[in-house]
Amino acid sequence: MKVIHSVRSRILVLSTTLFVLLLILYTATLAHMANRFSFVNYSQSTSSLLWMVTSSIEGDLNDIDSLVTRVSIDSELKNILSAFSERSWRDYYIRFESMVQSNPAYRAIDRFIIMDSMMEHFLQVGESAATGRPINRDTFLQEIASLEEEGAFSRIFTSYLSYGRYPVIAALRPIIDYNTGRTLGYVYVSVNMHTLLADLYSYQRMYSAEIYIENNGTAYRVDDGGIILSDIPQSSGTVFSTGTATAAKTIDGRYILTVVPERSGFSLRQVYSAPTILGGHGADGVPVLLFITGLLVFLIMLVLSIYLNKAIYKPVRKLSKRIEKIQQSDFSQDEDINTDDEFGIIGRGINRLSSEVVDLMDKRVEDERNKIELEYRMLQNQINPHFLYNTFNAIKWMATIQGATGIGEMVTSLSRLMKNISKRDDSLVSLKDEISFIDDYMVIMKYRYGSTISYCRNIQEDAEDILIPRFTLQPIVENAIFHGIEPKGTGAIAIVAESFGDHCTIMVADNGIGFDKSSERKQGDGVFRNIGLDNIRQRLEYTYHDDASLEIKSRTGVGTVCMIKIKKGEVRNHE
């Protein structure tokens, strides 16, 4: 377990994990970029090849279309059709055949037919002209019934005039006399799709490509040197586009490259899987590059692990050994851990802590010695209160024998007062005991001030057992005498305690000179010189929290009222 949780193992695990993650991230990023490059490169090269095939097909159709236009506007043919004669009709066939056979796309022409407007006379040239069905009005009307648009190559269909029933694409164009606007005849051409698509078939077999042809909403798949009806895979959005082709992603995760030539009516599509760097498309040298990159990252990881072991593990090990010595009560200084880096700050702190621990231990021994001496002195000082009590009692009896009752009463009150002050075992006393203390105090004050001070109290019996902090009322009475009555010259003090349903109230009132709120914090000047009104309020709050309060109301020239309110339930909790 120590090996697993050691700093060295954590450094190795952390650095290894970090660099493995970085290697995976780097490899994934490099592979993604390479795959993207391979995809774009493959798509561009494929679109170029497919565009070349498409251009060849479109070139043949353009050559054939030009031938149809040339024948349909031939003035000699128009003259023959206007003044029809069998001899001139047969003589024109030689020229007509020469024009068709000299066309660069002749190999793709299945039939090239010229007819009069009544479709009674026909001239035809082409591969299937001699091997196909005999042509007449009825067979020709069945053939052109498959055409959707006059004058241009329309959809692919199966030729009725051919016994082989192979697919063709055809165009029918009228021969018009522009002087009269009369239709003199028609030119019809059908193109053998197998011959027209020979380059596309070769391309499909060479690259084992999945090729589709779309013609006026009808899709065909190129398969084994032919075309068959098929549905094109649906695409979900364009991901790549060039000036001649567009690539989109299919629903099944593959890609479809679309090439649309300038001639409307058909388009070519190739479906292929996304090429990868390891899939043969631009993969040369990539595995070697990945291996070299991984090796470099591993070497960097090894060097960094060694550096981290030297820079972190060894200093931490020194610090841990020093702490183990401290645990064994060895508080000596170790200069080896006072380095110049962050670990040196910790090391100097440990050495300083060791020194402070030694000083603290010495101080504790000294404190224990002083404590023993203090306890000895306290035992000696316990003799002083007893001596004072005996002395006060002797003065009392002497004053009684001599008839000085006032001195005896005053000494008796002072004796009880001193005894109460020196008794500090209880922090809480009953209100009855506190009033008894006030009574003794007021006896002394009456002898000091004579008849200038009057004192009365009214303590309800249910309130006598209320617990309050010791010496709560005496500082209030003392402040009333020194700061209220004495400056005035005469006055009275009253203490009233009452018990209600859930709380008790204790009121101390005087008719002295009063004071404004800014002087409320003035401390006493008598027996409790360091106890002021804030001190009383804080002790009540400390003892009862929010269940006790001290409220002071004073008016200059009228007097002061101090009201203490304590919840009974909270008082019982302190009993």
Side-chain angles (χ1 to χ4, degrees), residues 270-290:
Q270 178 176 340
V271 179
Y272 56 96
S273 299
T276 62
I277 57 174
L278 300 178
H281 303 297
D284 295 341
V286 174
V288 177
L289 177 62
L290 292 178

Side-chain angles (χ1 to χ4, degrees), residues 234 236 248-256 272-274:
Q234 296 182 356
S236 59
K249 194 170 185 179
T250 62
I251 297 177
D252 59 3
R254 296 182 297 169
Y255 294 88
I256 181 168
Y272 56 96
S273 299

Side-chain angles (χ1 to χ4, degrees), residues 89-108:
W89 183 249
R90 287 194 300 271
D91 291 341
Y92 184 76
Y93 177 78
I94 298 174
R95 181 183 177 188
F96 167 60
E97 182 181 32
S98 175
M99 283 192 297
V100 173
Q101 291 180 349
S102 63
N103 191 275
Y106 172 72
R107 59 180 177 79

Side-chain angles (χ1 to χ4, degrees), residues 300-313:
I300 294 174
M301 178 192 69
L302 182 62
V303 172
L304 185 57
S305 298
I306 296 174
Y307 171 76
L308 291 177
N309 179 70
K310 180 179 180 181
I312 297 178
Y313 173 71

Side-chain angles (χ1 to χ4, degrees), residues 435-553:
I435 293 298
S436 177
F437 177 76
I438 296 299
D439 291 343
D440 290 332
Y441 177 76
M442 289 305 299
V443 169
I444 298 174
M445 293 297 103
K446 284 183 179 180
Y447 280 103
R448 176 179 177 181
Y449 292 98
S451 60
T452 59
I453 294 179
S454 60
Y455 165 69
C456 65
R457 58 182 175 82
N458 182 10
I459 309 301
Q460 189 177 339
E461 185 177 354
D462 292 343
E464 289 182 345
D465 294 331
I466 297 172
L467 296 179
I468 62 175
R470 181 188 291 274
F471 309 129
T472 297
L473 302 181
Q474 196 280 335
I476 298 176
V477 174
E478 191 173 89
N479 280 334
I481 294 173
F482 291 152
H483 301 294
I485 297 175
E486 184 177 8
K488 186 177 180 182
T490 182
I493 296 175
I495 301 177
V496 180
E498 294 179 301
S499 175
F500 297 94
D502 62 341
H503 66 279
C504 300
T505 61
I506 305 170
M507 181 184 70
V508 179
D510 68 80
N511 60 351
I513 63 173
F515 63 91
D516 55 29
K517 299 298 289 184
S518 61
S519 62
E520 179 185 335
R521 298 180 180 271
K522 183 178 291 186
Q523 297 178 344
D525 297 328
V527 178
F528 295 93
R529 188 177 303 273
N530 296 321
I531 299 179
L533 296 178
D534 277 348
N535 182 283
I536 297 172
R537 184 180 286 109
Q538 289 173 2
R539 287 194 292 143
L540 287 172
E541 181 181 355
Y542 174 78
T543 305
Y544 302 104
H545 303 289
D546 295 332
D547 295 316
S549 63
L550 171 61
E551 183 179 1
I552 301 172
K553 297 181 179 179

